[in-house]
Amino acid sequence: MGDLILEEGETLRGCKLAYRTHGKLNAARDNAVLVTTWFSGTGKVMEDVYVGPGRALDPAKYFIVIVDQIGSGLSSSPHNTPGAQSMARFPRVRIGDDVQAQRRLLKDAFGITELALVFGGSMGGQQVYEWAVRYPDQVKRAAVVAATARNTFHDFMFTETLIEALTSDPHWNKGWYERGEDVRDGLNRMAGIFAVMGWSTEFYEKKRWQSLLGMSSERDFINGVMRAYFAPMDANNLLCMAWKWQRGDVSRHTAGDLAKALGRITARCCVMPISHDMFFPPRDCEAEQRLIPRSAFRVIEAVEGHMALNGFDPAYTAQVDKHLRELLDFPA
Amino acid sequence: MGDLILEEGETLRGCKLAYRTHGKLNAARDNAVLVTTWFSGTGKVMEDVYVGPGRALDPAKYFIVIVDQIGSGLSSSPHNTPGAQSMARFPRVRIGDDVQAQRRLLKDAFGITELALVFGGSMGGQQVYEWAVRYPDQVKRAAVVAATARNTFHDFMFTETLIEALTSDPHWNKGWYERGEDVRDGLNRMAGIFAVMGWSTEFYEKKRWQSLLGMSSERDFINGVMRAYFAPMDANNLLCMAWKWQRGDVSRHTAGDLAKALGRITARCCVMPISHDMFFPPRDCEAEQRLIPRSAFRVIEAVEGHMALNGFDPAYTAQVDKHLRELLDFPA
């Protein structure tokens, strides 16, 4: 999509956005749905877990565009950018940059200037909030799972522990490793921290790693799920996203006034925290929801905590679908 | 106290226990209270926060013995043990070893064979449970704040992240650093993880680091409280305690049957989780409390989460005192 001037000042040259679409844009161009992606995920998991015939996001009804966030590995990222902005030289990217890029993509590629819905979870939810605050006239509905509009300091510190897990690995070498897998100690440490914060105490107590994920033991789960999940990832990509995640904050547009920023939202919103989420707890999400004029607060019950987002449990996706339908069926 | 044969098989030679006492043992020897210590703490904090005139643990009524756990820095620990068991050569110690050593101390130094109360928090609580399960005829009352009798896998993984924070520091050098402060990067990382798990999201949201702790900013809090707290500590000592913490489990005495182990307790027990504790959540503590015959479940309300144990807030200590009085005033 050409150059993207970033909030931090640098220009991301020859910016590429990876996206996938489902369904067809209607003549009125009013059935477009944007789906965003989270930390460590790509559009693939969003497609698999949230989109399909008979689902709330049904390609028979909506034109669904899933866009990978910058740094996620498919869109422009440290590991796939050549030359002067490669690896450790990749510029700092903010949530707002993703939203700018997505907006340009939707307009240039499809002529879309209004979205029936923007939907995302976790860092994807940060992008949804940014959209709704910044372009209220272009977003008719917004739905967020397990995210906040302004990242909390607690969450900032959590992300900091993930960053330190990677950067403390000598093989990371300030971003100049030969191969991604060289940073395996750091990635393993990150997987360990995510094992603590990504699920919940109840998930382990109920042995959901067995009943839900089919692992034979806790150790089997740590190695076969948590470590295996992060092992193929690129450290610089993760660090790019982590830095962005830490600084997600819609009140940047209102000089730090969160109530004012969220008060700007005209979209109908559905705020869906996950009951057992350890870093985006329902309490934090509810405090924000109260500041959004036309919004509903719907807690998703899932002992999987934050990781429930991955849709392992049909009971989770059924809840999300129900709330999305409620939002979509109601005239915006 | 001479040699201590450890559960893992090795003998801790010339084992030393640090302890402090308050009050006087009465003629009937039935007013003795044992207070244990937690991870990263010494008897000093227990004395300052939980003992005093007019408090539930009043030296005018009770003979209070506060014993530092092995590895804590004052009792035998990697950093203060000379010769063949120094530093990285310090043997693996378990909760049961502490209890054995404490029992010997109480008998040999004071002729105490029955305790009116055993009280402790966090790892100190693990020791309380071990006492109550193993020596039911010697423990008339037991009170535990923010701890479980069998460590959960979630908590094991949390502790693992602390261990990895230290051992990933090249200056740790497999335990053979020159000076404790050389492991400052590892200690800082540990402080960062504790900043996430030790408090709660609400603690940060309410800016309790300011109103309660008098710090000027979140960064001031991280550096001036969290890092400053761990900076003077010895990495090998922390690792010794962390390994022990991970393996606290009273069901070792009943072939893994937790209900059977806790069913052995004859002491009146007061189980006091802290409402916002992220690694010993009330839910986990309540599941155990239900297995203890003569027990009460009392949740301590404190947005400080696990770190409330340090008694920053008079509202916290008032709750603990109230429940301890209820326990102590009732004939065992």
Side-chain angles (χ1 to χ4, degrees):
Chain A
M1 59 186 305
D3 294 349
L4 183 71
I5 299 172
L6 303 169
E7 282 188 30
E8 291 291 299
E10 204 170 336
T11 296
L12 180 55
R13 308 206 180 272
C15 175
K16 290 185 178 66
L17 281 195
Y19 66 92
R20 57 195 87 201
T21 70
H22 292 262
K24 284 186 183 154
L25 188 62
N26 62 17
R29 295 177 191 276
D30 66 0
N31 70 332
V33 172
L34 171 67
V35 177
T36 53
T37 69
W38 57 60
F39 178 80
S40 81
T42 68
K44 178 78 167 75
V45 64
M46 299 310 293
E47 182 177 69
D48 291 349
V49 174
Y50 296 98
V51 176
R55 301 291 307 279
L57 303 187
D58 191 334
K61 291 164 84 174
Y62 300 103
F63 178 56
I64 301 156
V65 186
I66 308 174
V67 185
D68 285 62
Q69 68 167 309
I70 296 168
S72 66
L74 296 178
S75 293
S76 286
S77 300
H79 96 292
N80 66 12
T81 298
Q85 294 184 313
S86 70
M87 296 188 76
R89 295 195 206 96
F90 197 77
R92 298 290 197 200
V93 181
R94 283 183 176 270
I95 295 289
D97 297 319
D98 276 290
V99 169
Q100 289 295 0
Q102 289 159 8
R103 194 160 161 262
R104 220 159 92 190
L105 168 76
L106 291 172
K107 191 172 178 207
D108 295 354
F110 308 109
I112 295 170
T113 54
E114 186 183 81
L115 290 160
L117 171 70
V118 188
F119 169 68
S122 200
M123 279 189 75
Q126 292 182 315
Q127 296 160 57
V128 174
Y129 277 124
E130 182 84 9
W131 262 100
V133 167
R134 204 144 159 195
Y135 304 108
D137 57 325
Q138 298 185 19
V139 180
K140 295 184 82 170
R141 296 176 195 82
V144 167
V145 189
T148 51
R150 176 162 72 185
N151 204 34
T152 65
F153 181 71
H154 181 265
D155 203 349
F156 184 100
M157 281 305 299
F158 164 53
T159 313
E160 194 72 16
T161 67
L162 301 177
I163 289 171
E164 289 180 350
L166 292 175
T167 58
S168 60
D169 186 338
H171 295 287
W172 175 64
N173 191 29
K174 298 190 178 175
W176 297 109
Y177 41 86
E178 286 266 319
R179 295 163 309 166
E181 67 249 43
D182 291 346
V183 197
R184 64 177 68 83
D185 286 347
L187 289 164
N188 278 347
R189 279 201 289 278
M190 186 165 166
I193 296 174
F194 239 100
V196 175
M197 292 288 293
W199 308 85
S200 75
T201 55
E202 208 167 353
F203 168 83
Y204 289 103
E205 190 260 319
K206 289 183 186 298
K207 297 192 193 297
R208 294 282 285 172
W209 43 263
Q210 189 172 52
S211 57
L212 187 67
L213 303 177
M215 307 311 283
S216 63
S217 69
E218 286 149 340
R219 287 287 149 197
D220 192 43
F221 165 73
I222 293 297
N223 201 57
V225 175
M226 297 312 296
R227 291 182 169 181
Y229 178 74
F230 286 105
M233 297 191 192
D234 179 87
N236 289 330
N237 290 1
L238 291 167
L239 291 168
C240 167
M241 288 185 283
W243 190 92
K244 195 202 292 183
W245 168 5
Q246 289 183 306
R247 290 158 184 82
D249 179 6
V250 296
S251 78
R252 283 162 55 79
H253 306 297
T254 50
D257 186 337
L258 183 64
K260 195 172 171 187
L262 293 175
R264 281 188 184 176
I265 299 177
T266 56
R268 274 197 184 274
C269 286
C270 186
V271 175
M272 294 175 273
I274 296 169
S275 58
H276 288 60
D277 197 317
M278 291 184 77
F279 48 99
F280 291 116
R283 195 173 47 228
D284 291 354
C285 302
E286 189 174 14
E288 294 187 338
Q289 178 267 326
R290 288 198 183 130
L291 302 173
I292 305 173
R294 303 197 305 157
S295 64
F297 182 67
R298 300 284 183 264
V299 177
I300 310 285
E301 290 295 328
V303 299
E304 283 65 51
H306 196 75
M307 296 296 266
L309 281 167
N310 290 286
F312 308 108
D313 188 353
Y316 162 83
T317 44
Q319 290 176 74
V320 174
D321 265 18
K322 178 171 172 256
H323 301 317
L324 284 180
R325 277 202 188 94
E326 181 190 38
L327 181 69
L328 285 164
D329 290 351
F330 201 90
Chain B
M1 58 187 306
D3 293 350
L4 183 71
I5 298 171
L6 303 169
E7 282 187 31
E8 292 291 298
E10 204 170 336
T11 295
L12 180 54
R13 306 205 181 273
C15 175
K16 292 185 177 65
L17 281 196
Y19 67 91
R20 56 195 88 201
T21 70
H22 291 264
K24 284 187 183 154
L25 188 61
N26 63 17
R29 294 177 193 277
D30 65 359
N31 71 332
V33 171
L34 171 66
V35 177
T36 53
T37 70
W38 57 60
F39 178 80
S40 82
T42 69
K44 179 77 167 74
V45 65
M46 300 310 293
E47 182 176 69
D48 291 347
V49 175
Y50 295 99
V51 176
R55 301 291 307 278
L57 302 186
D58 191 334
K61 290 165 86 173
Y62 300 103
F63 178 56
I64 301 156
V65 186
I66 309 174
V67 185
D68 285 63
Q69 69 167 309
I70 297 168
S72 65
L74 295 178
S75 292
S76 286
S77 300
H79 95 292
N80 66 13
T81 298
Q85 294 185 312
S86 70
M87 296 189 78
R89 296 194 205 98
F90 196 76
R92 298 292 195 197
V93 181
R94 283 183 177 270
I95 295 289
D97 298 319
D98 277 289
V99 170
Q100 289 295 0
Q102 290 159 7
R103 194 160 160 259
R104 220 158 92 188
L105 169 76
L106 291 173
K107 191 171 177 207
D108 294 355
F110 307 108
I112 296 169
T113 53
E114 186 183 80
L115 290 160
L117 171 70
V118 189
F119 169 68
S122 200
M123 278 190 76
Q126 292 182 316
Q127 296 161 56
V128 174
Y129 277 124
E130 182 84 8
W131 262 100
V133 167
R134 204 144 157 193
Y135 304 107
D137 56 326
Q138 299 185 20
V139 180
K140 295 185 81 170
R141 296 176 195 80
V144 168
V145 189
T148 51
R150 177 162 72 186
N151 203 34
T152 65
F153 181 71
H154 181 265
D155 204 348
F156 184 101
M157 281 306 299
F158 164 53
T159 314
E160 193 73 14
T161 67
L162 301 177
I163 291 171
E164 289 180 349
L166 293 175
T167 59
S168 60
D169 186 337
H171 295 287
W172 174 64
N173 191 30
K174 297 191 179 175
W176 297 110
Y177 40 87
E178 285 266 318
R179 295 163 309 165
E181 67 248 45
D182 291 347
V183 197
R184 63 176 70 83
D185 286 347
L187 289 164
N188 278 348
R189 280 200 290 277
M190 187 166 166
I193 296 174
F194 239 100
V196 176
M197 292 289 292
W199 307 85
S200 75
T201 55
E202 209 166 354
F203 167 83
Y204 289 104
E205 191 259 321
K206 289 183 186 299
K207 298 190 191 301
R208 293 282 285 172
W209 43 263
Q210 190 172 51
S211 58
L212 186 67
L213 303 176
M215 307 310 283
S216 64
S217 69
E218 287 148 340
R219 286 288 150 196
D220 191 43
F221 165 74
I222 293 297
N223 201 57
V225 175
M226 296 312 297
R227 291 182 168 181
Y229 178 73
F230 286 106
M233 297 190 191
D234 179 87
N236 289 330
N237 289 1
L238 291 168
L239 291 167
C240 167
M241 288 186 283
W243 190 92
K244 195 202 295 183
W245 168 5
Q246 289 183 307
R247 289 157 184 83
D249 179 5
V250 296
S251 78
R252 283 163 53 79
H253 306 296
T254 49
D257 186 337
L258 183 64
K260 195 172 169 187
L262 293 175
R264 282 188 183 176
I265 300 177
T266 56
R268 275 197 183 275
C269 286
C270 186
V271 175
M272 294 175 273
I274 296 169
S275 58
H276 288 61
D277 197 317
M278 291 183 77
F279 48 99
F280 292 115
R283 194 173 47 230
D284 290 354
C285 302
E286 190 175 14
E288 293 187 339
Q289 178 267 326
R290 289 198 184 129
L291 302 173
I292 304 173
R294 304 197 304 157
S295 63
F297 183 67
R298 301 284 183 263
V299 177
I300 311 285
E301 290 295 329
V303 300
E304 284 65 50
H306 195 76
M307 296 296 266
L309 281 167
N310 291 286
F312 308 108
D313 188 353
Y316 162 83
T317 44
Q319 291 175 74
V320 174
D321 265 18
K322 177 172 173 255
H323 301 318
L324 283 180
R325 277 202 189 93
E326 181 190 36
L327 182 68
L328 285 164
D329 291 350
F330 201 89

